Amino acid sequence: MKKFILIVILALAGTLAASAQTVFAVQYKSDADVKVYVTNYKSDADLVVYKCAYKSDAQDNKGLWHFVSYKSDAKKKIFFCDYKSDADLVIFFCDYKSDAGWRNNSKKHLMY
């Protein structure tokens, strides 16, 4: 019974760690899972993003992103577009963690 409980706890811990929003910026559009445009105005954004210094700070699908150094470590590969019309998702980078979050819930599925 103890082994079963331990296995369940480890499986849940692995699931929680896998849900972190780790991203890697790719060089080519064809390599990306999501094409992103960065806007200068929070009101234009689908998602307000806060760049976390540590992977452990990036939680769920709440706009808390941690940029990783290797593509294989990322949950999502993103390509930064030059034009808003080319993007799947419009984001705004904020300065405070508490400002991060979705403004357009219909695009939330893009980061799962």
Side-chain angles (χ1 to χ4, degrees):
M1 185 65 175
K2 288 182 182 180
K3 286 183 182 180
F4 175 74
I5 292 171
L6 181 62
I7 291 171
V8 169
I9 290 171
L10 290 175
L12 288 174
T15 303
L16 292 174
S19 68
Q21 290 293 296
T22 52
V23 296
F24 180 80
V26 295
Q27 196 171 12
Y28 302 105
K29 191 187 303 189
S30 58
D31 291 340
D33 297 322
V34 181
K35 296 180 291 282
V36 173
Y37 176 78
V38 180
T39 183
N40 292 324
Y41 304 101
K42 186 176 179 178
S43 59
D44 289 342
D46 298 319
L47 174 63
V48 178
V49 175
Y50 176 76
K51 289 190 269 185
C52 300
Y54 303 102
K55 183 179 179 179
S56 59
D57 291 340
Q59 304 164 355
D60 299 328
N61 191 2
K62 298 179 183 176
L64 303 174
W65 288 6
H66 176 72
F67 285 86
V68 293
S69 302
Y70 301 100
K71 191 189 321 186
S72 58
D73 292 339
K75 183 171 174 19
K76 288 291 180 182
K77 296 177 289 289
I78 60 172
F79 176 78
F80 289 104
C81 300
D82 293 328
Y83 303 102
K84 188 176 178 179
S85 58
D86 292 340
D88 300 321
L89 184 65
V90 178
I91 66 168
F92 174 80
F93 285 112
C94 64
D95 295 326
Y96 302 101
K97 187 175 181 179
S98 59
D99 290 340
W102 286 94
R103 295 178 49 82
N104 183 353
N105 285 327
S106 68
K107 297 204 177 181
K108 212 172 193 180
H109 69 278
L110 293 172
M111 294 306 294
Y112 274 117

